[in-house]
Amino acid sequence: MLKTAIFAYLVIALLLLLQNGGAELLVADDFEGKLKDKYWKGRAETWKVKADKLEIHRNGALAADEVDFGYGVIEFEDFGLRLDFYLFNDDDFPSKMELLFRANQDLHFYQLVITPVNGFGRPNSARWYKREGNDRGTWNEYRDFRSEFPFPIETKEWYTLALLGNANTFQLHVKKQGELMFQKVIEWTDPKNLHPKGVLGFHTNPLQHYYIDNLYLYDRPNEVSLAVEPNGKLTITWANLKH
């Protein structure tokens, strides 16, 4: 029985390898210990590895400038991103989560802003922005692509998102941690394809405070499973073997 199980595992692994066709796991980080230099530059003032999670939070005493922005070091074009996030509610002020993607340190990026159901501005929403350098006038929202989440995104709860990028088209999926299936939030396209290549990043300000954990970044969108948890599953295990 054991030999049969091992043989079946090897066959499935081989099939997955053939199916992946050279796909690469670019980042696999559970944020144990300290920030990994091979993945992140981050910001000493606003990024901390705490209890094996990445904590994003800026002290209100710090000046509002580039300290708000922290970046990774791995560049990508097409991508599949999966991560867990947790929004704090400090002093009854619910935090947003702000992810930068295809970003550069010269402030060119796409930006996803997640606002919880008890948040301010546009509650329970995903909003999309772009910026094109130091001129804050270019930091604008794609208003047509505002989208409400299919279920309440609460503070003090863990969620998992999947963000998939295929050329200039992006998909967002989300689920509460522990659920098997993601729910699709939106698919949208940037006809100008302003930012075809860049790194990951996170933005913060004194009103934002959130955790990131279990982050996986692939060089293809279809490498992220939208049906099952990755931890301990064959797809992640085999990808780590190749990495």
Side-chain angles (χ1 to χ4, degrees), residues 8-233:
Y9 180 94
L10 292 174
V11 169
I12 294 171
L14 179 60
L15 290 173
L16 284 170
L17 176 61
L18 294 174
Q19 181 182 3
N20 287 345
E24 186 177 358
L25 179 60
L26 302 175
V27 178
D29 200 347
D30 56 8
F31 300 101
E32 290 187 358
K34 63 179 182 178
L35 203 65
K36 297 177 176 63
D37 293 340
K38 66 178 180 179
Y39 293 146
W40 310 105
K41 291 184 179 178
R43 294 295 310 196
E45 302 89 343
T46 56
W47 288 34
K48 299 287 189 300
V49 175
K50 183 177 180 180
D52 295 334
K53 300 175 226 12
L54 176 60
E55 182 179 25
I56 308 290
H57 186 46
R58 176 160 75 80
N59 187 310
L62 295 172
D65 54 18
E66 285 84 0
V67 73
D68 294 352
F69 300 90
Y71 299 94
V73 299
I74 306 296
E75 284 196 325
F76 55 87
E77 297 177 21
D78 290 352
F79 67 94
L81 171 67
R82 177 181 174 128
L83 61 80
D84 298 335
F85 68 93
Y86 176 101
L87 306 176
F88 283 85
N89 194 11
D90 296 340
D91 298 323
D92 294 323
F93 196 98
S95 175
K96 300 175 182 178
M97 193 273 277
E98 299 196 10
L99 170 69
L100 312 178
F101 59 102
R102 291 201 187 142
N104 293 284
Q105 293 190 63
D106 58 0
L107 297 174
H108 288 73
F109 53 71
Y110 291 117
Q111 180 180 17
L112 166 62
V113 178
I114 292 177
T115 305
V117 70
N118 58 336
F120 296 95
R122 194 171 183 88
N124 208 47
S125 70
R127 291 180 294 156
W128 307 87
Y129 290 77
K130 55 83 175 174
R131 184 165 176 173
E132 300 168 72
N134 287 321
D135 181 2
R136 291 180 66 91
T138 67
W139 197 358
N140 297 317
E141 182 185 358
Y142 292 98
R143 288 179 173 267
D144 291 343
F145 304 126
R146 289 178 174 178
S147 189
E148 185 173 343
F149 286 105
F151 55 87
I153 301 295
E154 307 275 1
T155 52
K156 301 181 181 179
E157 296 281 354
W158 279 99
Y159 297 90
T160 303
L161 71 78
L163 178 60
L164 314 178
N166 186 6
N168 61 336
T169 297
F170 308 100
Q171 291 183 27
L172 176 64
H173 304 255
V174 70
K175 68 185 183 69
K176 191 171 183 178
Q177 195 173 69
E179 297 290 332
L180 290 179
M181 300 292 294
F182 282 91
Q183 295 189 47
K184 188 174 182 179
V185 180
I186 190 174
E187 179 174 343
W188 65 280
T189 298
D190 174 17
K192 295 183 179 179
N193 196 23
L194 286 174
H195 305 303
K197 185 176 182 179
V199 302
L200 289 177
F202 296 98
H203 177 255
T204 188
N205 63 46
L207 301 178
Q208 295 172 7
H209 186 190
Y210 53 94
Y211 278 149
I212 301 296
D213 202 6
N214 300 317
L215 188 151
Y216 298 94
L217 175 67
Y218 295 91
D219 66 351
R220 294 184 184 181
N222 60 2
E223 293 301 302
V224 175
S225 171
L226 299 176
V228 296
E229 290 287 346
N231 295 332
K233 302 300 182 184

